[in-house]
Amino acid sequence: MEIILDQDKLKGCRGLGVLVTLKQAPALTVVGQYACVPANQSVPQLESVGLPTPDWVNTTEEARSHFPGGCDVRRGVWVCVDSKATTSAVWTMLTSITRILEVLCPEVLAVLYRDGTEMECFTIDSGSLSSQSVGLATTSLQSYLTESTLLCRLLISVPLYLPEGQPVSTSFSSVEEFFNNSSTIFCVSSKPPLIFSESTTSGTAVRRLIKAKPQDPVATLPSSSQHIPHAQTGPVIIELLRDHTQPTDTPSLTVSNPLPNNCLKVSLSVDVLVLANITSPLRELAAVCREKLTTHLKSIAKGITWKEGSVCTVTTHHLALWNQHCPVTIVYPHTAHSWESLDNPLPVTTDDLRLYREELHKRLCLGTDLPYLRVPRQPTKQGSPWLTSNIMLSTGSQLLNPHHHLKQTVKTGSLATVQGDYLYYHYMQNGFNDNGWGCAYRSLQTLWSWFWLQGYTDKPPPTHKEIQESVVAAKTRSSSLIGSKEWIGSIEVSNSLNQLLGLVSIIKPQIKGPDMASVGRVLLEHFRTHGTPVMIGGGVLAHTILGVTFNDTTGETQFLILDPHYTGTEDINTITAKGKWCGWKKVSFWDEKASYNLCMPKKPTDFLL
């Protein structure tokens, strides 16, 4: 059996968990991982080797709720050993662990790390280890997902009535019966519409859906997940219909009138993802969709009952995470309605959900270096839960991650770029004329947007006046700055970020234009460690640096520049054409007569997930 996985995405895994694989793949194709849920009782033999006692049932159920339909799970153990360990020592250790685990998980996939540089995979059957060939190439996995799978999204809205005193499970049972009834069928809007179910007898395969245009034009994944299948065109939208040509015993989704005095009516928005092999027949896709709907309903039910004594409305979010090859779905409570005051719901804040997010960070092997699972409460255009490179956030008209659209190539060397999402701020946006003096302000707004979209703050980027007020409050400039058209520089940008967000920035001062290659290694380390955009000011101009490539042998350095002096519309083709407003620049780009100061914001280390 061949195992295909991405070694880099498994580096954060230690101990026990499940590997998320594709059901219909020629090899064991690993697209994600989920750490185990500890059991209530411990096993001393496991504790003696530093492993928790796994609750495989709950671990499997949770993993299936967070990953797309069409995925399966394999119980796994991830062991890290010293690269100097002999092969015989490694086998002895694995055999020992296998014997301990045999009673708990007789079929375990074992992944062996050697200081993160090598990997071996084994399957365990009845206490015996079998070495497996491993496809480690990231490109082969990405290529397979892009060419052989299709991401589908089911969007269904149904009414849900929740009478006081009645278990939520009772209300959900009618919805589940509705979804599972044979008279409900699936439909993709195309010309003509494509209708299918488990009883479809034709041999039509899933690849037929590729020609169907996504019905939600903004439903594409964040550009950081550009290798998720068909992310550039968006998932195919599937709807659920009732087949009126069939005799039906489909249950009603309403309750009889009159309604109880205390009854909350919720518009239940069901939003699920399915990852389908394009060679599978549509009837198999229907079965997978039906199964995923049932799984997702359980997640919604947990969200609705999240706060004791209240009923919560929930929102579903599909997130692209750096260590997963497919999107992860999370249901968050949004507002809480108490039975005493149904008309005055209270918002569920990010602080309320902190413990839940911390637990999910552990389960998804994310570490604690970034608040990956915080979701901005500001909705994107048309209420889509997806961030895309072609839509605007509701607060303005800023493009997301324009550098992902570059067609430029750079010479070989060590490369590092901004980690995560940001917005492009430039002259004349939002009807505000700052042409000729606001470039540093716009660069600061871009820097701020990175912390906003990564979840470090709920506050959108500040206005020019708010920036000026913070600079004055930091005693960097006099009060005459407020309301003026005066320039600011790197020092003011650093002080403003500190005053408003509590951020600490590294200032690299007084670099002459011809000497900018000397900061190549510094920028390389910054982008690898912190990953934040960098503001640079010199002469009368300011720019934003998004990345750097540095050749250790020749010292040649190139800079990925985002130029805030652009005054046009949000046209991605104009902005990236020939790399003029967003693109790679050589050292000759910098004014040889000017001195430059770098403002490099650091990631907070004391934030709350």
Side-chain angles (χ1 to χ4, degrees):
M1 171 176 37
E2 184 183 14
I3 301 170
I4 300 176
L5 47 78
D6 184 342
Q7 178 174 340
D8 288 337
K9 292 186 182 296
L10 288 171
K11 285 183 177 179
C13 298
R14 295 291 184 270
L16 297 170
V18 295
L19 296 180
V20 181
T21 62
L22 293 181
K23 286 183 177 179
Q24 299 169 327
L28 196 62
T29 305
V30 179
V31 295
Q33 53 277 340
Y34 195 81
C36 75
V37 177
N40 293 328
Q41 296 179 337
S42 60
V43 175
Q45 296 95 319
L46 291 177
E47 289 186 346
S48 67
V49 293
L51 293 174
T53 302
D55 183 339
W56 289 121
V57 173
N58 280 329
T59 301
T60 299
E61 182 179 321
E62 286 189 11
R64 285 176 174 157
S65 72
H66 290 301
F67 287 89
C71 293
D72 202 357
V73 296
R74 292 293 183 102
R75 293 170 294 186
V77 53
W78 303 294
V79 183
C80 185
V81 298
D82 192 296
S83 59
K84 298 178 182 179
T86 63
T87 302
S88 60
V90 170
W91 274 88
T92 299
M93 181 193 65
L94 280 178
T95 303
S96 174
I97 292 176
T98 301
R99 288 170 181 163
I100 294 173
L101 296 176
E102 183 179 356
V103 176
L104 296 173
C105 42
E107 296 180 0
V108 177
L109 175 69
V111 180
L112 170 66
Y113 279 83
R114 295 175 182 254
D115 286 356
T117 57
E118 295 181 46
M119 180 184 294
E120 296 179 40
C121 290
F122 308 86
T123 53
I124 303 175
D125 186 9
S126 301
S128 300
L129 289 173
S130 300
S131 182
Q132 306 297 332
S133 61
V134 181
L136 292 178
T138 301
T139 53
S140 64
L141 179 53
Q142 293 169 346
S143 175
Y144 173 80
L145 289 173
T146 302
E147 297 172 3
S148 303
T149 64
L150 182 69
L151 189 65
C152 303
R153 184 181 182 194
L154 286 84
L155 294 170
I156 304 166
S157 182
V158 295
L160 180 70
Y161 294 86
L162 301 169
E164 183 180 10
Q166 177 177 292
V168 170
S169 59
T170 303
S171 300
F172 268 86
S173 62
S174 64
V175 180
E176 187 172 345
E177 288 176 28
F178 173 74
F179 286 164
N180 289 324
N181 194 277
S182 59
S183 68
T184 54
I185 57 178
F186 299 97
C187 174
V188 173
S189 295
S190 57
K191 294 184 178 180
L194 190 58
I195 297 173
F196 59 98
S197 69
E198 292 89 335
S199 59
T200 299
T201 57
S202 70
T204 305
V206 171
R207 63 162 49 92
R208 168 69 175 79
L209 303 183
I210 297 176
K211 298 179 181 180
K213 299 294 182 182
Q215 298 305 300
D216 182 354
V218 301
T220 52
L221 289 168
S223 50
S224 58
S225 57
Q226 55 189 308
H227 297 295
I228 290 178
H230 301 278
Q232 302 306 315
T233 58
V236 171
I237 305 301
I238 300 177
E239 299 173 277
L240 189 69
L241 304 177
R242 179 181 294 183
D243 185 358
H244 292 284
T245 66
Q246 299 288 336
T248 179
D249 56 352
T250 305
S252 170
L253 290 176
T254 63
V255 297
S256 58
N257 287 319
L259 294 173
N261 290 332
N262 263 13
C263 181
L264 181 65
K265 179 184 177 182
V266 178
S267 178
L268 193 64
S269 297
V270 180
D271 183 353
V272 303
L273 298 179
V274 170
L275 198 54
N277 188 302
I278 61 173
T279 62
S280 301
L282 287 176
R283 60 178 175 273
E284 291 185 10
L285 173 60
V288 172
C289 290
R290 195 93 62 185
E291 179 184 29
K292 183 59 182 176
L293 284 172
T294 301
T295 302
H296 189 62
L297 278 180
K298 295 178 181 177
S299 298
I300 293 177
K302 289 181 180 178
I304 286 179
T305 58
W306 175 79
K307 189 171 184 178
E308 188 176 354
S310 298
V311 175
C312 296
T313 58
V314 299
T315 55
T316 299
H317 301 275
H318 306 298
L319 306 178
L321 303 175
W322 71 269
N323 65 339
Q324 313 288 350
H325 263 293
C326 59
V328 169
T329 299
I330 299 175
V331 175
Y332 281 138
H334 189 261
T335 56
H337 302 253
S338 68
W339 291 112
E340 292 75 20
S341 182
L342 289 179
D343 295 332
N344 296 296
L346 296 175
V348 178
T349 67
T350 54
D351 288 342
D352 294 332
L353 295 170
R354 180 171 61 86
L355 293 179
Y356 179 48
R357 289 196 303 273
E358 287 179 353
E359 192 65 23
L360 282 176
H361 267 257
K362 296 176 185 176
R363 298 288 159 258
L364 292 165
C365 310
L366 286 171
T368 57
D369 60 325
L370 276 174
Y372 295 99
L373 304 182
R374 280 199 180 199
V375 178
R377 297 188 71 84
Q378 292 78 11
T380 52
K381 189 176 181 181
Q382 298 183 23
S384 170
W386 306 77
L387 284 174
T388 78
S389 55
N390 296 317
I391 68 167
M392 316 304 175
L393 290 189
S394 61
T395 54
S397 55
Q398 291 76 33
L399 286 174
L400 184 78
N401 305 333
H403 76 284
H404 284 294
H405 295 263
L406 287 174
K407 297 179 181 179
Q408 284 180 300
T409 57
V410 291
K411 293 184 178 180
T412 56
S414 299
L415 171 70
T417 60
V418 61
Q419 301 174 27
D421 297 316
Y422 66 90
L423 298 173
Y424 178 25
Y425 283 83
H426 58 78
Y427 279 166
M428 306 294 288
Q429 280 180 331
N430 303 111
F432 186 78
N433 186 351
D434 57 348
N435 192 355
W437 62 274
C439 52
Y441 296 84
R442 296 299 188 175
S443 181
L444 184 152
Q445 289 174 330
T446 293
L447 268 57
W448 184 297
S449 73
W450 186 92
F451 291 93
W452 186 37
L453 294 182
Q454 265 55 244
Y456 287 107
T457 179
D458 292 331
K459 301 175 183 176
T463 64
H464 291 56
K465 185 178 180 181
E466 289 171 336
I467 294 171
Q468 292 171 339
E469 290 172 343
S470 68
V471 170
V472 172
K475 300 181 180 180
T476 309
R477 298 277 286 273
S478 69
S479 59
S480 63
L481 175 68
I482 300 175
S484 73
K485 296 183 179 181
E486 294 182 22
W487 299 329
I488 60 172
S490 302
I491 303 300
E492 288 89 344
V493 168
S494 173
N495 288 340
S496 178
L497 290 173
N498 180 261
Q499 186 75 20
L500 296 174
L501 284 182
L503 298 175
V504 176
S505 301
I506 298 172
I507 299 294
K508 190 75 174 174
Q510 299 297 312
I511 308 154
K512 294 291 185 181
D515 299 328
M516 279 295 292
S518 66
V519 298
R521 189 175 279 108
V522 173
L523 286 171
L524 197 67
E525 180 64 22
H526 169 80
F527 285 115
R528 287 176 173 174
T529 304
H530 298 285
T532 66
V534 172
M535 181 268 180
I536 180 170
V540 296
L541 301 176
H543 294 85
T544 305
I545 301 178
L546 301 175
V548 65
T549 177
F550 177 74
N551 190 308
D552 277 310
T553 304
T554 64
E556 185 177 358
T557 306
Q558 292 188 70
F559 307 85
L560 181 54
I561 300 298
L562 189 66
D563 195 334
H565 303 93
Y566 175 66
T567 59
T569 61
E570 310 310 306
D571 185 333
I572 191 64
N573 294 321
T574 300
I575 290 167
T576 58
K578 299 181 180 180
K580 182 175 182 180
W581 300 106
C582 177
W584 288 95
K585 310 290 185 182
K586 296 181 179 179
V587 172
S588 58
F589 170 78
W590 308 107
D591 187 345
E592 62 180 17
K593 297 180 181 179
S595 292
Y596 292 90
N597 296 327
L598 295 177
C599 173
M600 300 181 286
K602 299 170 65 175
K603 285 190 303 189
T605 57
D606 57 350
F607 63 90
L608 296 176
L609 294 178

